[in-house]
């Protein structure tokens, strides 16, 4: 850690979040992580992506408020008026960018396993939403770029709903999940738990690829053996039974005309 900002109180609950306290709860192998807590920013992913050329070490940036959170393909991740954890982890990988296929799914597994350890029963929706009771509890946005001198940098962005009031849910436009008891947990311990799983998974993916995550993802699959459709800009591309994911992180569907493998790209999955 290179800086020790004073505790920043969370607006809604007055929970003190402190970079030094989070760092102290991390295992020694992740102590070099630089942790930043800011009161408000547009997007923690955008902040870190802009700083990648000058980053020398892994950075975790947590914003108590995020005013322009992003999802995949330019979609928005909304948090204003709610109590959310919004943060991003910039991590240097030995793998080049083209070796990162499957990383978004691996990060879904990491986040889900971290939450399950805290007794939050979650499942995964392909490619990488974390669901509780079939509603979205957390979103993941991963951006990556080639690193100078080889390998790549990834920025893993997480938005985790702790308390979503009706008014925010109405603005999102879908029923979403939250986990109010997590909001009452020591925020530094909660962050340390999530960081531990996310950083360990970046390391594991870098060394072993998606293989060790494949059975774990399929065990957490929310729609296993259920009828789903794959939508692209409102158009149904495929309809079939969701079998699970393969080693490339593609979704395998059993359709009337045989098995189909779907790349994540910009498509969305919907239960039928
Ligand atoms: P889809 O939800 O269509 O399958 P996706 O999973 O790719 O798409 P993301 O890009 O990960 O979605 O996240 C953006 C979407 O998440 C938004 O379009 C909105 O529907 C939803 N969303 C935005 N804010 C929240 C939130 N706080 N909690 C849950 N869902 C949200």
């Amino acid at each position: 850690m290179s800086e020790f900002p004073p505790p920043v109180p969370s607006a809604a609950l007055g929970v003190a979040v402190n970079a030094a306290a989070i760092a102290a709860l991390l295992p020694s192998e992740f102590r070099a992580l630089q942790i930043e807590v800011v009161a408000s920013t547009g997007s923690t992913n955008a902040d870190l992506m802009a700083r990648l050329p000058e980053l020398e070490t892994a950075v975790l940036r947590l914003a108590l408020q995020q005013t322009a959170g992003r999802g995949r393909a330019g979609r928005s991740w909304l948090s204003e008026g709610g109590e959310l954890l919004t943060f991003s982890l910039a991590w240097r990988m030995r793998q080049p960018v083209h070796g990162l296929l499957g990383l978004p799914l691996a990060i879904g597994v990491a986040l889900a396993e971290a939450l399950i350890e805290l007794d939050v029963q979650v499942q995964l929706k392909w490619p990488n939403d974390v669901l509780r009771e079939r509603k979205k509890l957390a979103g993941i946005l991963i951006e990556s770029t080639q690193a100078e001198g080889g390998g790549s940098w990834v920025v893993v962005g997480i938005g985790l709903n702790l308390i979503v009031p009706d008014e925010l849910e109405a603005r999102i436009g879908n029923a979403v999940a939250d986990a109010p008891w997590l909001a009452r947990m020591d925020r530094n311990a909660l962050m340390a738990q999530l960081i531990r799983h996310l950083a360990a998974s970046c390391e594991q993916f870098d060394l072993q690829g998606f293989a060790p995550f494949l059975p774990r993802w399929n065990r957490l699959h929310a729609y296993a053996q259920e009828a789903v459709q794959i939508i692209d800009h409102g158009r149904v591309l495929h309809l079939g039974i969701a079998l699970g994911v393969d080693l490339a992180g593609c979704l395998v569907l059993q359709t009337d005309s045989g098995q189909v493998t779907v790349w994540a790209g910009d498509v969305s999955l919907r239960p039928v």
Side-chain angles (χ1 to χ4, degrees), residues 156-240:
V156 176
I158 307 286
L160 171 63
N161 295 335
L162 301 179
I163 299 174
V164 175
D166 293 346
E167 185 273 331
L168 173 57
E169 190 173 48
R171 270 192 291 131
I172 293 166
N174 294 318
V176 304
D178 61 6
W181 59 95
L182 284 186
R184 291 193 293 273
M185 183 180 163
D186 177 285
R187 196 60 54 94
N188 300 311
L190 175 56
M191 279 305 300
Q193 163 78 357
L194 300 177
I195 293 168
R196 195 166 58 80
H197 279 262
L198 294 170
S201 295
C202 287
E203 282 284 274
Q204 188 176 25
F205 186 94
D206 207 15
L207 294 171
Q208 300 172 38
F210 186 57
F213 297 91
L214 174 64
R216 289 148 69 191
W217 199 100
N218 282 327
R219 266 199 301 277
L220 291 163
H221 185 188
Y223 299 109
Q225 302 300 329
E226 291 187 29
V228 300
Q229 47 191 4
I230 302 298
I231 314 266
D232 184 7
H233 296 96
R235 204 163 58 87
V236 178
L237 284 188
H238 303 288
L239 179 65

Side-chain angles (χ1 to χ4, degrees), residues 77 79 83-87 111 115 118 120 122 130 136-140 157-164 177-179 182 190-191 194:
W77 186 263
S79 54
E83 180 85 6
L84 276 85
L85 275 184
T86 49
F87 63 92
L111 186 56
L115 290 167
L118 298 173
V120 186
V122 292
V130 176
K136 201 185 303 200
L137 178 70
I140 297 167
I158 307 286
L160 171 63
N161 295 335
L162 301 179
I163 299 174
V164 175
D178 61 6
L182 284 186
L190 175 56
M191 279 305 300
L194 300 177

